[in-house]
Amino acid sequence: MKKNQLLLRIDPSEYRSTVSEAEADLKSKIAAAGAAERDLKRGKDVAAQGFISQSDLDKLTTNFEQTTAAVKAAEAELEKAKLNLGYTEIRAPFAGRIGKVNYDVGNIVGPSSNELAELTDVDPIYVSFQVEEADYISYRQNHQAPSDKDPRDVPIDLTLRLPNNSTFADKGVLDFADTKINRNTGTVELRAAFDNPDGIVMPGLFVTLIVESTNKKELALIPQVAVQENQQGKFVLVVDDENKVAMRIVKLGRRINAMWVVESGLEAGERVIIEGLQKVRQGVEVKAVEKNVDETTGTISSKANS
């Protein structure tokens, strides 16, 4: 649907009649005001010669003012009647998609009726999300900005992952940031806007919003199956240069499909054990076999089959 396109029409017969009545009444009031104006003009002319009293002249003046006011009132009634007639044509206030129309020809509708239809704006499409108050405060502390700086102006990339696990083509922009913390949830409400000219993303669709800093750096990815946990925290087992098993305590970031981002604890080139974790222990010498891991599904396959 285009903006201002006619969507629905309510029977206008009664409202057209009201407009016609208001137009006729206005013409009558204009005619009466014209006659009163002419009478007042003649009255002023003869009053100067002393042919009518001041009292009669005052009556002519009052009649002219009343008929002039009646014209104003009739004009307002005509404007109101035309406005009501205009409401019989329901037009799209914005471009979008219209859903099911809940009434058909012959149905009676009025102020107490349910909605006639729902028009949805899909371009741009908005994605609302919440950020924990601790994360929000930490981010603001690490990115100090003047107090008058728009909180939406932050260096981040916004990407959508769709339900079929594909990535939406267009990047988003931060469109809205609330000015207060929600007391019930302890979060800050944010909203991202995405151009959606093809209407691929629909309202109510479940999507995954990926928020990344534009100040990016390379970090290691490890399969989730390689991660274990003890009292010291999360750790992985690696094979060192002497082919012996060693433990590395790691700090993990976000999950990406079957992989986990490693923020610290591993060096580039270290070999992480992903199979046979129950059969090895720290300090034991092993024979390492390189494997492939599908980053999306986590499926492990032989290097020769890649």
Side-chain angles (χ1 to χ4, degrees):
M1 292 288 181
K2 296 181 180 179
K3 182 178 180 180
N4 207 38
Q5 182 175 343
L6 180 64
L7 303 178
L8 300 164
R9 181 182 284 112
I10 300 172
D11 184 9
S13 303
E14 179 181 349
Y15 299 98
R16 284 176 180 166
S17 310
T18 304
V19 170
S20 298
E21 290 177 2
E23 288 175 340
D25 184 59
L26 176 59
K27 288 180 181 179
S28 175
K29 294 297 194 300
I30 291 175
E37 184 178 15
R38 291 190 295 272
D39 290 343
L40 178 60
K41 184 176 182 303
R42 285 193 295 266
K44 288 180 177 180
D45 291 340
V46 297
Q49 302 173 19
F51 292 114
I52 64 171
S53 66
Q54 183 62 43
S55 175
D56 290 336
L57 182 61
D58 290 343
K59 291 179 181 179
L60 293 174
T61 301
T62 300
N63 185 50
F64 171 70
E65 291 175 347
Q66 289 176 339
T67 54
T68 301
V71 170
K72 296 293 185 182
E75 289 175 342
E77 286 298 320
L78 177 58
E79 184 177 351
K80 179 181 177 181
K82 288 181 177 180
L83 182 63
N84 289 333
L85 177 60
Y87 288 149
T88 63
E89 289 189 349
I90 301 173
R91 298 182 177 273
F94 50 82
R97 292 179 176 178
I98 189 170
K100 179 183 177 182
V101 178
N102 297 318
Y103 296 89
D104 206 345
V105 176
N107 291 142
I108 298 176
V109 296
S112 60
S113 301
N114 293 327
E115 62 182 25
L116 302 181
E118 183 174 348
L119 183 67
T120 305
D121 184 7
V122 296
D123 185 26
I125 195 76
Y126 298 99
V127 179
S128 297
F129 62 104
Q130 295 79 35
V131 175
E132 295 289 340
E133 57 186 352
D135 295 334
Y136 179 78
I137 294 300
S138 296
Y139 186 88
R140 296 289 290 176
Q141 289 175 335
N142 294 330
H143 298 79
Q144 291 291 340
S147 58
D148 60 347
K149 187 176 179 62
D150 192 332
R152 297 174 297 177
D153 187 17
V154 293
I156 56 175
D157 282 336
L158 299 173
T159 308
L160 281 186
R161 184 179 297 123
L162 303 179
N164 62 357
N165 214 32
S166 65
T167 301
F168 188 57
D170 293 312
K171 296 284 188 180
V173 294
L174 194 61
D175 173 75
F176 167 79
D178 207 345
T179 57
K180 60 184 181 299
I181 303 292
N182 187 311
R183 294 181 180 179
N184 297 323
T185 62
T187 59
V188 181
E189 180 78 17
L190 302 173
R191 188 178 74 178
F194 290 81
D195 289 333
N196 189 36
D198 298 326
I200 294 176
V201 182
M202 300 174 63
L205 188 70
F206 178 80
V207 297
T208 301
L209 179 68
I210 301 172
V211 183
E212 299 177 304
S213 172
T214 55
N215 303 320
K216 298 178 181 178
K217 60 181 179 179
E218 290 188 355
L219 294 173
L221 284 176
I222 59 173
Q224 293 182 25
V225 296
V227 179
Q228 302 181 74
E229 190 170 5
N230 60 15
Q231 293 180 346
Q232 295 176 278
K234 290 183 172 60
F235 69 93
V236 295
L237 298 177
V238 302
V239 179
D240 62 19
D241 294 338
E242 298 179 353
N243 288 328
K244 292 184 178 181
V245 177
M247 186 177 72
R248 296 283 188 273
I249 300 296
V250 293
K251 179 181 179 182
L252 301 176
R254 65 184 179 90
R255 293 185 180 184
I256 304 177
N257 296 323
M259 309 298 286
W260 221 322
V261 176
V262 181
E263 296 182 350
S264 63
L266 282 178
E267 300 292 336
E270 287 196 290
R271 297 174 291 176
V272 178
I273 299 176
I274 60 176
E275 285 187 317
L277 296 173
Q278 296 82 9
K279 302 177 183 179
V280 297
R281 64 180 184 275
Q282 191 170 352
V284 173
E285 186 174 343
V286 296
K287 181 181 179 181
V289 178
E290 193 171 355
K291 297 281 187 175
N292 283 329
V293 178
D294 187 298
E295 295 183 2
T296 302
T297 64
T299 303
I300 300 172
S301 61
S302 174
K303 189 73 172 178
N305 296 329
S306 61

